[in-house]
Amino acid sequence: MSAKEEICPDCGASAMDNDARIITVGKDQATGDRVTVETWHHETCPAYTVQQILMEDGARRAKERDEQTKAVFPEIRARVKNAAAKSTDSPFAAALLELVEQQGADLGRFVTADQWVEVLERHFPPAGDGCPE
Ligand SMILES: [Zn+2]
């Protein structure tokens, strides 16, 4: 990852003369590489004010989504469990239930790709291992 520094076009703040420093991560349009961009602002800069509002709004929305997820997930988990109990011969139901259970064990993290592979390998083994296709 490379790093760039930018003088704010709105307030003209620099590394030597600023009230705030913002570091963002993005993609370099020319190379496609990830790049950090360091920009300075004065406290009265309109671009800085807009960035602050967007950041606070984003944080508020993320918190709301998190609370909503924690409120509805237990009921959805129970419905999946009930549905899977009626489909005991289905590898689809068993795999989905296992993935839901893994996610439900901790809603603060993602079920990782390697955990998905482990579950799906178990319920859908390669052909020749007696897996119905
Ligand atoms: Zn600025």
Side-chain angles (χ1 to χ4, degrees):
M1 187 176 330
S2 60
K4 288 199 304 192
E5 296 179 353
E6 283 183 355
I7 292 176
C8 175
D10 287 335
C11 68
S14 69
M16 304 303 290
D17 171 31
N18 69 82
D19 296 313
R21 182 179 70 150
I22 301 291
I23 299 174
T24 55
V25 178
K27 203 178 257 188
D28 187 301
Q29 295 302 321
T31 64
D33 292 340
R34 288 169 63 83
V35 61
T36 60
V37 179
E38 191 171 3
T39 311
W40 300 275
H41 299 280
H42 291 299
E43 201 171 320
T44 56
C45 174
Y48 177 62
T49 302
V50 168
Q51 280 184 339
Q52 292 298 104
I53 290 168
L54 291 175
M55 270 178 19
E56 286 168 18
D57 187 53
R60 183 185 53 76
R61 286 172 192 249
K63 189 177 174 199
E64 285 173 3
R65 281 195 307 269
D66 190 50
E67 288 170 356
Q68 173 73 3
T69 297
K70 286 179 177 156
V72 301
F73 194 90
E75 192 182 321
I76 293 169
R77 185 182 189 178
R79 290 199 305 260
V80 170
K81 207 170 191 170
N82 288 339
K86 295 173 191 163
S87 310
T88 52
D89 60 335
S90 166
F92 296 100
L96 176 61
L97 178 61
E98 199 170 330
L99 290 165
V100 167
E101 289 300 313
Q102 285 195 15
Q103 184 64 73
D106 183 355
L107 292 178
R109 56 115 174 104
F110 294 104
V111 176
T112 59
D114 64 302
Q115 292 169 308
W116 274 81
V117 166
E118 187 187 317
V119 169
L120 295 177
E121 280 278 9
R122 195 168 339 104
H123 294 284
F124 300 95
D129 290 4
C131 176
E133 286 193 38

